[in-house]
Structures are given as C-alpha cells and as structure tokens.
Amino acid sequence: MTSQSCQRGPESAHVNYKGPCHTAVCRHSSSLLGCNLEPPNKHGGQSKPVPSSAVGSSWVTGLLRMLLLLLWYMPVAGGLEVKTEERQMVFLHDNVTVLCKIPGSPCLDITTVGIIWSRKKEWNESETSVYQFYGSHREAIRPGANVSLLGLERGDASLLLPRIELSEAGEYRCKLVVTPQKAEGTTRLDVVASPAMKLFVKPATERNGEEQHVICKLDGFYPEAFDVKWGKSTLNDPHFQAITEGIVTGPTVRNDDGTFSVTSSLALRPALEDHGNTFFCVVSHKSLLDSKRLSVMLPEKRPVEIYFTIVGPCVLLALVLALVIVYCLWRWSSGRVRQENKDFYAAEMLSS
C-alpha cells in the first residue's frame, strides 16, 4: 500500500488509498465547493487582465461538466464501486442519512466527481430527482437535501435528509461518477412512527351494566398493521395469563399527519378476589424492536366499598325482615284487641 498526496491549495493531505488519487491545485474560498475555478473577480471598480490560465481553467470546467453529464447515460463502467444498505428503517421527523460510500479511504478531486440522488415512489415506478452535484452545479430539489463536499472528497456521497416525512419512503438511487468511471447503488427507505401508548381503568357505570373496562390506547403509529394481546397476573399466580374473552378492538383511525390511532378495551365484571390483580396490554408494531407491555392494577376495594357491597345488603335485608315481623305483630295484636272487644260487648248484652 502506497501513501499518496492530494494537494488542495497550500496544504497537503496524505492518505492511504488503493488506487489513483486525483490531484488538483485549487485556492480556498468561501464557496461550497472549497475550490474557485472561475476567472478572477473585479476589484475596486477596475477590471484586471484575466490570465490565460484562468480562461483555460474555466474551459476545462465546462468540458468536465459536459463529460459528467454524458456519463449518466452510458452503461455502468467497471472499476468503481459504491457501498449502500439494502434497506434502512428510519423514524418520522428524524434527520436521516441515506448511505452511499466508496469502499476504503479514497482521496478525490471533487471537480471530477458528479452525483445524482433520485427516489422511486412507493405507489408508482417513476423516479424523481432529489439532489444533484457536478462541476460547479449543486442543486437540492428536495428542500434541505445535502451531500457533504468534505465527505465527498473522502468518497462519502451519503444523502442527508432533515425531518423525514412519511411520503418520502421509497427506493433511493445513488449515481456516482468519478471521471471516467461510474457506479450506482440503491437503498430501500422505510419511514415508521412508534405508537404513543396509554393504559388505564375506566370505572363501572350504570350505563355499561356495572362493568369495569381496562382501556389500551395507541396513537401516532405507522404503518397501520399492529397487534394487541391482553393478559393478567394474580397475587396467587404472578405468571402472565392470556385473556381472550371480553376484548373489543376498534377500527384504526387515520390522523391528519398520516399516522394511525386505535383503542382496545377489556371488559371486566370483577369479583371481590379480582381486585388487586394486574392486567397487561402487549403491543407489537414494526417500529418496535420488541413487543411493549403496559400494566395496570385493578384497585382494591376500600373498606367503605366493602361495607356497601357486602354489609349494606345484609343490613337492608335485616331491616326488611324486621318490618315484616313488626307488621305481623301489629296485625296479630290488632286482631286480638278486636276479638276481646267483641267478647266484652257480647257479655254486656247477655247480662242486660
């Protein structure tokens, strides 16, 4: 392996590279390219003679641009390779880097490099341009799209996309020319959104027949496919016990931003021993590396609740029985008094 030097202006950078190192002498400027290949500007309102070397440099730049454009339409030449990822999964609104690199650590003169990034939409086969760079031309068709020119000098043509949207999923193609060679690679970009999850107990009401409901809500997820499972554990058996009855999972609802929401509920008619049990909602989704489990404990009945649910009915029954007994005694007592009165009047009439 030999050490070669790429001269950029007054500085030299030495890198190890298996292959040709395109050299160029260029002066530093504040431009994005870092090299000024245009004729000298006018200073102080007076024009200075343009050296023939500058005119030649401008002519060479135009010729290189024409050559780079011509290479886009030629068959892919051998000798140059780019490394891309077959598939990348990224999260909604993240800043994303779509990889495209030349293996090794090349040292490139970017005046001989051209790159075009394009995207094939999911729902059709047409390709749209995302970013272009060749010669002194640099254009971001997708707002914010960028390729670092410092990285490009080291063979890194990766595409930077700030705040990715769901609509930007698809197949991205990286076409790279290092004159006179050409290579390309593709990456499938999947944009996903993780669900925001909430689990809570909805108290029983007369309307729902004194049932309690455990509610599991998912919001803001993409893609639409998901899976929800229910289970419980008790004080006597802390292991997960699957629940398959009393479950109602509603239809998914599309949000304004293209993500989805859904609600799943578990209906309970808890006996006294069910209070204090823990219930689980287990969610599976493409955006989650593993299933996520949420848990909630069914509140234990407080002493007042126990009084009204157990002692209360007993007291009420006792009161009813007491009233029945009092009524019966009253009827018996009233009947006895009336009979005594009849006997008294009958005795009076006989004596008279």
Side-chain angles (χ1 to χ4, degrees):
M1 181 177 294
T2 60
S3 176
Q4 301 192 23
S5 170
C6 286
Q7 185 179 357
R8 299 181 182 88
E11 301 173 352
S12 295
H14 296 272
V15 297
N16 293 326
Y17 176 53
K18 298 178 181 179
C21 182
H22 304 276
T23 60
V25 178
C26 47
R27 67 181 180 84
H28 291 277
S29 71
S30 60
S31 67
L32 292 173
L33 293 180
C35 297
N36 188 353
L37 299 175
E38 303 297 330
N41 294 328
K42 297 178 180 180
H43 298 275
Q46 299 179 357
S47 61
K48 294 183 179 181
V50 179
S52 60
S53 61
V55 177
S57 177
S58 178
W59 179 82
V60 171
T61 301
L63 183 61
L64 282 173
R65 183 185 302 177
M66 293 179 61
L67 179 60
L68 289 168
L69 288 173
L70 180 62
L71 285 171
W72 297 129
Y73 303 99
M74 294 175 60
V76 177
L80 181 66
E81 295 181 357
V82 292
K83 181 181 179 181
T84 58
E85 291 192 354
E86 182 179 349
R87 203 176 195 101
Q88 284 184 240
M89 187 177 75
V90 298
F91 290 89
L92 178 65
H93 296 154
D94 274 2
N95 297 331
V96 174
T97 300
V98 189
L99 297 180
C100 180
K101 296 182 178 182
I102 299 175
S105 301
C107 179
L108 304 179
D109 172 12
I110 59 175
T111 62
T112 67
V113 176
I115 181 171
I116 290 181
W117 275 99
S118 60
R119 175 174 62 90
K120 184 183 292 185
K121 298 179 180 179
E122 289 187 314
W123 53 86
N124 60 37
E125 293 298 316
S126 64
E127 284 196 31
T128 57
S129 186
V130 176
Y131 178 88
Q132 297 179 357
F133 168 76
Y134 47 85
S136 61
H137 174 77
R138 191 181 192 190
E139 181 181 7
I141 296 87
R142 189 274 198 194
N146 187 37
V147 172
S148 168
L149 298 185
L150 291 177
L152 195 57
E153 289 182 343
R154 299 188 297 270
D156 187 355
S158 299
L159 177 67
L160 309 177
L161 298 173
R163 287 190 62 81
I164 196 76
E165 297 292 339
L166 295 176
S167 59
E168 296 182 286
E171 183 181 82
Y172 283 75
R173 186 181 303 276
C174 167
K175 295 181 179 179
L176 183 65
V177 168
V178 179
T179 311
Q181 299 175 332
K182 175 183 176 182
E184 66 177 52
T186 59
T187 298
R188 170 72 187 186
L189 197 68
D190 295 326
V191 183
V192 300
S194 297
M197 293 173 275
K198 185 165 59 173
L199 184 66
F200 59 93
V201 177
K202 184 178 180 181
T205 62
E206 293 182 2
R207 178 178 298 180
N208 59 29
E210 300 303 323
E211 285 185 342
Q212 282 187 311
H213 288 82
V214 185
I215 307 297
C216 186
K217 297 190 71 173
L218 313 181
D219 185 42
F221 60 91
Y222 188 90
E224 184 177 6
F226 70 97
D227 184 61
V228 172
K229 289 183 173 64
W230 287 90
K232 72 173 183 178
S233 65
T234 66
L235 296 176
N236 296 329
D237 185 1
H239 297 92
F240 181 87
Q241 306 169 39
I243 299 176
T244 57
E245 296 182 354
I247 300 170
V248 177
T249 301
T252 53
V253 178
R254 184 181 287 272
N255 301 322
D256 293 338
D257 62 356
T259 61
F260 295 94
S261 299
V262 73
T263 299
S264 182
S265 65
L266 173 64
L268 300 174
R269 283 186 174 272
L272 181 62
E273 61 271 14
D274 290 332
H275 291 275
N277 290 346
T278 300
F279 292 86
F280 301 96
C281 173
V282 184
V283 179
S284 299
H285 188 257
K286 182 178 181 179
S287 63
L288 304 173
L289 295 178
D290 296 306
S291 298
K292 190 167 184 180
R293 178 184 295 188
L294 285 77
S295 64
V296 65
M297 180 180 290
L298 194 64
E300 295 185 5
K301 283 201 176 276
R302 294 172 294 181
V304 174
E305 294 176 324
I306 296 175
Y307 174 82
F308 281 108
T309 56
I310 298 177
V311 179
C314 295
V315 172
L316 181 61
L317 180 60
L319 287 174
V320 172
L321 289 174
L323 289 173
V324 170
I325 293 172
V326 170
Y327 176 75
C328 291
L329 290 174
W330 176 78
R331 289 293 302 271
W332 177 79
S333 176
S334 297
R336 185 175 179 180
V337 169
R338 285 195 298 271
Q339 185 63 41
E340 289 178 352
N341 289 336
K342 287 181 181 181
D343 292 342
F344 175 77
Y345 288 128
E348 286 290 330
M349 289 181 65
L350 290 173
S351 64
S352 62

